[in-house]
Amino acid sequence: QCVACVLPVIATFPLIVLIDQFEEIYSLCDVSQESAHEERDQFVATLLNAAKDRSQYVSVIITFRSDFLGETHQHPVLNRLFSKQGFLVPTMDEASLEEAIAQPAKAVGYPLDSATINLLIQQTLGREGA
């Protein structure tokens, strides 16, 4: 069944499904338990169903770490979607990290001092998932 069909106000209020840290379905799901494996597969199938909704009222956005790309081979349709529609964000360099750390605080009127910014950069630079 199409997702848009079950939401009566979808034409007025489009649905955006945003899933951050999607890699956790692979890193935290104990697939040694059959029920967990089935639950994960059902979750992915539901997302794929929502993503194929052609009404243009439903958008599915998934973020996850690139070191988990290989895990998507467990779900071939998902893997093909990532291959065709995915966007790979490059690793942040020092300048990018500084901007990502400093700008949000500055934007809300609480700028961070340079010592704090430098400490956070040193703690995150080059770390996966940081």
Side-chain angles (χ1 to χ4, degrees), residues 75-119:
H75 302 99
V77 174
L78 179 67
N79 181 267
R80 282 192 297 279
L81 279 173
F82 279 125
S83 296
K84 292 178 183 176
Q85 298 178 8
F87 177 78
L88 189 60
V89 177
T91 303
M92 289 187 169
D93 60 14
E94 200 165 330
S96 299
L97 278 172
E98 181 175 352
E99 184 176 344
I101 291 167
Q103 290 306 315
K106 185 178 178 183
V108 294
Y110 295 99
L112 300 173
D113 62 89
S114 60
T116 300
I117 294 169
N118 289 332
L119 175 65

Side-chain angles (χ1 to χ4, degrees), residues 27-41:
S27 65
L28 298 179
C29 186
D30 182 5
V31 291
S32 65
Q33 298 177 359
E34 187 62 32
S35 61
H37 191 273
E38 290 172 10
E39 186 176 333
R40 180 181 69 185
D41 289 348

Side-chain angles (χ1 to χ4, degrees), residues 115-128:
T116 300
I117 294 169
N118 289 332
L119 175 65
L120 292 171
I121 289 170
Q122 295 313 309
Q123 290 177 342
T124 57
L125 191 61
R127 288 187 51 216
E128 276 185 9

